[in-house]
Amino acid sequence: MELRTLRYFVAVAEELHFGRAATRLHISQPPLSRAIKQLEADVGALLLVRSPSGVMLTPAGAVLLDEARSLLDHADRVRFRVSTATGAATITVGILGDGTDPAVARLAAAYRRHHPGVDIRVRDTDLTDPTCGLRAGLVDVALTRAPFDETALTVRTLRTDPVGVVLRADDPLARRDRLRLAELSGRRWFQFPRGTDPVWQAYWNGGTPREGPVVRAVQECLQAVLWNGTIGLAPLRHEVAAQLTVAPLTDMPPSRVVAVWNEGDANPLIRSFVEIATAAYRR
């Protein structure tokens, strides 16, 4: 059994869906299906029960999932020990957004347990670069939010969060339980500086060009609402001051929390980081 095939199997077993697993692995579905069928032939047992709605693990599949995770974890440890011997035991993580997210703390604790000898460096970035310096080579992997231009990047979705509009508590719309984007037309929205990723900018503007003050950081966004009555979007998980509120938007696609790294980067510390992050954000 090849490690790559085991990684394919783990992805399908965790997603319980071939399409989602293929997206996560950044491969097409047919070779993924062939790899799983070959794996079943190699072990001599049915591992997954397929249906139109997805897949289910068989008892043999559940056993292999536990063993595969252990084998892959061991392989990552081997790579880590080799990289340590060459003096490469450092990883720089870019973080964008709310650093108080409990999942970030779970990820940090789990990564330290798995890699106690790694020097973990953190680069906190503002809202003008959704890839946290990845393209400039300033970080190895980023914890951020999509969407943004994914050219030459590999992206793993960790969680999706519903999005709402940030309003001052005395705003007439603040009394509403939920809103639609059309009800916000004519209002001033906070903007990101010229040159910011256009995919990222369009999403946080609700898909429509807007006018309003230019901001760079989360706190600047909130202060623009507090002082000027400006509005803007934020994940509903994000905590705001008592003078502000976040009203859910019924027609806004959710915000994806993602891990992202440069396509083709085979650094085992990045691979391990992404797998540990996937587990930490699943809780």
Side-chain angles (χ1 to χ4, degrees):
M1 290 180 286
E2 295 182 355
L3 291 178
R4 180 177 63 178
T5 305
L6 289 179
R7 292 190 191 280
Y8 286 1
F9 171 72
V10 169
V12 176
E14 290 180 344
E15 298 293 341
L16 294 178
H17 193 280
F18 274 88
R20 290 195 297 269
T23 299
R24 166 173 159 179
L25 293 165
H26 295 276
I27 63 174
S28 60
Q29 192 168 331
L32 176 59
S33 297
R34 289 194 296 270
I36 298 302
K37 288 180 181 178
Q38 184 60 53
L39 179 61
E40 290 177 321
D42 290 343
V43 300
L46 184 67
L47 302 173
L48 302 164
V49 177
R50 298 153 177 83
S51 72
S53 59
V55 298
M56 293 180 57
L57 281 171
T58 65
V63 170
L64 182 59
L65 177 59
D66 286 340
E67 296 295 339
R69 283 170 169 163
S70 296
L71 285 169
L72 292 173
D73 182 65
H74 180 69
D76 284 336
R77 289 175 184 273
V78 170
R79 292 190 184 95
F80 164 67
R81 292 184 64 187
V82 172
S83 65
T84 299
T86 62
T90 298
I91 184 170
T92 302
V93 180
I95 296 181
L96 177 100
D98 187 5
T100 63
D101 190 328
V104 176
R106 290 196 298 269
L107 168 55
Y111 199 79
R112 287 197 306 271
R113 286 196 303 271
H114 280 77
H115 303 293
V118 172
D119 180 15
I120 306 168
R121 302 171 184 175
V122 177
R123 182 176 187 266
D124 191 23
T125 56
D126 62 29
L127 300 174
T128 64
D129 179 11
T131 65
C132 306
L134 192 61
R135 294 189 188 280
L138 300 176
V139 301
D140 299 304
V141 62
L143 284 175
T144 183
R145 288 186 178 273
F148 46 79
D149 179 7
E150 297 184 8
T151 303
L153 301 175
T154 301
V155 179
R156 169 79 64 86
T157 297
L158 304 176
R159 189 183 69 210
T160 57
D161 294 334
V163 171
V165 56
V166 184
L167 301 163
R168 205 160 55 191
D170 60 358
D171 191 298
L173 293 178
R175 295 190 291 270
R176 300 279 296 278
D177 291 335
R178 56 193 66 248
L179 294 165
R180 295 179 62 83
L181 285 167
E183 297 176 87
L184 305 174
S185 61
R187 300 290 297 266
R188 286 172 57 80
W189 292 50
F190 41 71
Q191 303 293 301
F192 301 135
R194 188 183 300 276
T196 298
D197 185 313
V199 178
W200 169 259
Q201 176 88 289
Y203 175 84
W204 292 108
N205 275 176
T208 302
R210 312 282 183 175
E211 296 293 334
V214 174
V215 297
R216 291 178 173 273
V218 171
Q219 283 303 314
E220 289 182 9
C221 298
L222 299 179
Q223 291 297 327
V225 178
L226 182 64
W227 287 81
N228 300 316
T230 307
I231 65 172
L233 305 185
L236 294 184
R237 286 175 175 265
H238 191 87
E239 296 184 2
V240 297
Q243 300 90 345
L244 303 174
T245 187
V246 184
L249 285 166
T250 60
D251 56 347
M252 184 68 192
S255 169
R256 291 186 294 127
V257 180
V258 299
V260 56
W261 62 103
N262 286 308
E263 193 174 80
D265 193 331
N267 183 344
L269 295 179
I270 296 177
R271 182 187 296 276
S272 180
F273 179 92
V274 174
E275 295 305 323
I276 294 170
T278 301
Y281 277 81
R282 190 179 294 119
R283 296 182 190 177

